[in-house]
Amino acid sequence: MSSKTLTLVAFAVAASAISASTAISLYIWGKFKGLEKSLNSTLQKCAAERQGRVRAQQALRKALAQPKSENLELTSYPMTPIGVVQSCFSTRNGTPRQPLLVPLARACLVFDASRVPPASLEGLGEYSHCWILYVFHLNTDLEKLWKEPSKSKFKAKVRVPRLKGERIGVFATRSPHRPCPIGLTVAKVEAVQGNMVLLSGVDLVDGTPVLDVKPYLPYCDSIQGAEVPEWVMVENKLTIASVSFAEGFFSTLDDCWGTAGKKSLYASTDELQSLIKQVLSWDIRSVSQRNRPHDSLVMIGNGKAFGNPSDIDENQDEETSVCRSDQGPTPSEHVIYHLILEGLDLSYRIDGDGNVIVEKVSISSEFPNGKQNRCNYSMWRDHLT
């Protein structure tokens, strides 16, 4: 074969290779353009869906914020509790009126695991305190919230303990009786474990539904130079001269502790006694009981009858907040009051000089039964010692 022929063959082979390479490149380019087009289409579709969701959310917020009708009644916002409080305070009576007044007051906040994964609590234990938003679920006037505003007859003024029962506007107080019964408190974070938080210094009654928890930030939550009315600063109006225990108290406490200690957030009877002293160092009686200390109160069984401070509502009219007997006045030091802590019913009296004497203790009907899963000291021992 001549050299000319070989050249032509080589040229033909090269041309074929170039043609094949070009065809492959064109094929790959076509595929690339197709994928690029498909990707752009998908991105545009995702962007359109996102814009649609944003517009829908904006429309929903606008609809919720606008009046339903001409009577200016606003649409309600659905809120579901995310947890519940297991507190040392079994009833409203004795639960401090403000947070941190009783440093030993403990509670375990148990979150609903179906709504709040344990991962939600990561990092909370690094804060010393937290804010808690909750519902005043034991208010005696909650049914008013479901009535028409014109029929609810909600009281704009409430009695203030520090003003000896004088009425003042509800929004100038921290009364639980509010148009929207949501409470705000602060507590010390002792420990975080799984879906539970151990708190101290609480002013929350057992069973309180919790709506939210936020960390306390000193740099913005503590306001230097904040001003309050003069009557708020008068602390001694609600303090007690002293708290002591009657001779027979200790034996009754030992009898109860075998049962109560298994479900208690406290290590020993000595620690529980310290809690009792801290709680009763404040006058936990209602306004009516302080104003009429010589009136005889009808106390039956575990103190659940009329006259028990746990049944007395500061929002009620004074003439209906105390049940008096027909036997006439009783000396104040003979009036027996009841406080229920950790499911234990404590009987105490206050003498004429303002000294509290705790007489005895017994298991109350509020004591949690065996079917209830309760937090106890053994669960938190490593964090409390």
Side-chain angles (χ1 to χ4, degrees), residues 285 289-290 292-299 325 327-337 348-355 357 359:
R285 295 176 298 173
Q289 288 175 320
R290 286 196 299 274
R292 295 197 297 244
H294 298 286
D295 284 347
S296 183
L297 305 182
V298 180
M299 306 303 293
S325 72
Q327 299 177 357
T330 300
S332 60
E333 60 268 21
H334 294 163
V335 177
I336 302 298
Y337 300 98
Y348 70 96
R349 56 188 174 85
I350 304 178
D351 66 20
D353 296 323
N355 300 295
I357 302 94
E359 300 282 355

Side-chain angles (χ1 to χ4, degrees), residues 64-96:
L64 288 172
Q66 287 180 343
K68 276 184 176 180
S69 59
E70 295 179 357
N71 65 3
L72 298 182
E73 180 183 352
L74 299 181
T75 302
S76 60
Y77 290 86
M79 291 189 184
T80 302
I82 59 174
V84 66
V85 171
Q86 295 182 6
S87 172
C88 64
F89 299 108
S90 305
T91 64
R92 290 182 304 166
N93 172 43
T95 303

Side-chain angles (χ1 to χ4, degrees), residues 85 103-109 124 128-130 132 185-191 197-202 204 210 213 265-266 380 384:
V85 171
L104 264 179
R106 291 177 188 155
C108 183
L109 172 51
L124 180 60
S128 66
H129 295 76
C130 68
I132 302 168
T185 189
V186 66
K188 184 180 180 184
V189 179
E190 294 287 355
V197 180
L198 181 64
L199 305 166
S200 65
V202 300
L204 299 170
V210 171
V213 172
L265 286 169
Y266 298 88
W380 302 99
L384 294 173

Side-chain angles (χ1 to χ4, degrees), residues 139-266:
N139 279 6
T140 57
D141 54 0
L142 282 180
E143 75 282 354
K144 294 180 180 180
L145 299 177
W146 284 269
K147 294 182 180 180
E148 292 291 330
S150 59
K151 299 179 181 179
S152 68
K153 297 181 180 179
F154 211 98
K155 294 182 179 179
K157 292 187 175 184
V158 295
R159 298 185 185 280
V160 180
R162 293 181 188 275
L163 290 177
K164 297 183 178 179
E166 181 182 335
R167 294 182 183 275
I168 197 169
V170 65
F171 292 124
T173 75
R174 293 190 173 186
S175 168
H177 303 284
R178 322 182 73 79
C180 188
I182 294 178
L184 172 66
T185 189
V186 66
K188 184 180 180 184
V189 179
E190 294 287 355
V192 178
Q193 182 175 292
N195 68 327
M196 301 178 295
V197 180
L198 181 64
L199 305 166
S200 65
V202 300
D203 60 347
L204 299 170
V205 69
D206 192 59
T208 296
V210 171
L211 299 174
D212 194 17
V213 172
K214 304 177 189 296
Y216 177 87
L217 305 177
Y219 76 90
C220 61
D221 289 341
S222 178
I223 304 174
Q224 299 297 323
E227 296 182 0
V228 298
E230 189 174 324
W231 58 266
V232 175
M233 302 302 294
V234 182
E235 296 289 344
N236 58 1
K237 287 188 177 181
L238 296 179
T239 55
I240 290 294
S242 69
V243 179
S244 61
F245 298 95
E247 187 175 345
F249 168 81
F250 303 101
S251 61
T252 59
L253 178 57
D254 289 338
D255 292 340
C256 295
W257 190 249
T259 300
K262 298 175 183 178
K263 294 182 178 292
S264 177
L265 286 169
Y266 298 88

